[in-house]
Structures are given as C-alpha cells and as structure tokens.
Amino acid sequence: MYHLFSQQRLAELKPYSEAKTSLDKNCSLFLQQQPQEGSILKSIKKTILVQLSAKIPSILSEQRLQTIIKESPRNEPIQLNSSRWYLHRGDLIHCEQILQACVSVCRVSCRQFAQGIYSPSILMAYGEILALRHQSDSLFLLLRQLDQSTSQILQAYLQGIYALECNELYQALEHLNLCLSLQPQSIPAWTAIGRVRSALVGVYVKSEG
C-alpha cells in the first residue's frame, strides 16, 4: 500500500499519461495480492488522482470530480484537494462551498469543532478562501468558534489573515510571524505574509507620494 502512495510523488515528475499507467499497473498488482481490499484500493486511487488534479486540473473533469466528492464526504485529502482544484481554476465560490461543507460536518459542538474531526488544514484553507473573498464577517465568526484547545498555529494564522482583512497590517504580520515560528513550512502563512508586505509597500509609496 505504501508503494501506491509513492506513485503520487513519482507522478509529479512525469507526464500524467505515464503516471496514470503506472498507477493502474500498481493498483492491479495490489488487487491481485489483496483481493479483499478492493474498496480501500479504490479510495486510495481516488485520493491520489484528486491530489494530482489539484496541481493539474485537466486530469479530471468537473463532473468526475463532483462524483468523487459526493462519494467521499469524510475523506479529508479528497475534499481539501477538490477545493484546490476549484481554486486553481479561479472558482472561489465552489471552493468555499466544499470547505464550508467540511467545516459543517465537524461543527457538532465547539469542542469537536476546535479539536477537529478534520485537521487544521481544512480550517486554514477555509480561512484563506474567506479572506480571498473578503468575507471578513465569516472569518470573524470562524475565529469566535475556536477555543483554547485549538492549535496555536491555526489560531495565529486565522488571526493574521483577519487582521489583514481589517487592514491592521502590523498586527497581521505579528500573528503570521508567530505562525511561521511554530510551523516554518506553512505555505498559507508565507503567502499571507507576502500579501501583508505588498500592502505595506503600497502604504509606504502613498506616504512618499
């Protein structure tokens, strides 16, 4: 099974047609060895294909992607990468709808919501899309629903992008720098810091003018 997951990395280094052939071959071999694992195999294959489609949207049609989304409501990688598929195409509305559905599933109680039936990745992606759509009120409500059990990384990131939306640039930078100090490889945090610094340059240019 580990070998199947390794196909995702290999696929990023070769054309999709070759990647799919390799994936099909390894799936067939796995199924011969473990025939009772058919449903698990299908789930793995869907997950890998959707992960690839997040980078190369042409891999999957929207109709096929929607079918996979409906078949996998609690598969976090599929839901997260499906939202990225729409984000890659500039369809922020559908991207937000997918993430909103994920958040709604785990909003059974504040504690469950904060600890996350889904990982912080879903909430970070949801916060990011709310910021891109300038939904500051929704972003504020999202922050209010988190409690002390929420990871400091997630809180710092959401507070940072909310401050950015409110044009509180230095406060945003403070929160996002904290996020990066806790998780230096956080791509969303680096992206948000880029937006803050661009905004600060704009403020400086206006003041000089």
Side-chain angles (χ1 to χ4, degrees), residues 57 60-67 85-86 89 91 94:
L60 289 176
S61 67
E62 184 173 12
Q63 182 179 4
R64 176 58 179 149
L65 182 67
Q66 282 292 336
T67 299
W85 186 92
Y86 280 105
R89 289 172 47 133
D91 189 339
H94 275 97

Side-chain angles (χ1 to χ4, degrees), residues 123-207:
L123 297 178
M124 289 184 78
Y126 185 50
E128 179 184 14
I129 198 65
L130 290 177
L132 288 174
R133 296 200 64 215
H134 304 294
Q135 304 281 352
S136 56
D137 290 343
S138 297
L139 193 53
F140 177 74
L141 290 175
L142 181 63
L143 275 166
R144 288 288 301 270
Q145 289 172 310
L146 304 180
D147 63 19
Q148 296 301 318
S149 64
T150 308
S151 76
Q152 193 175 6
I153 296 170
L154 176 59
Q155 288 198 43
Y157 174 73
L158 293 178
Q159 289 169 345
I161 59 175
Y162 177 69
L164 174 58
E165 279 303 294
C166 296
N167 206 35
E168 297 173 352
L169 302 180
Y170 290 104
Q171 188 176 348
L173 204 56
E174 181 181 345
H175 290 303
L176 292 169
N177 281 333
L178 172 60
C179 179
L180 283 178
S181 70
L182 297 171
Q183 191 176 42
Q185 72 275 22
S186 175
I187 294 176
W190 279 112
T191 302
I193 279 185
R195 291 174 58 203
V196 173
R197 289 176 176 170
S198 294
L200 285 171
V201 169
V203 171
Y204 176 77
V205 169
K206 286 182 180 180
S207 65

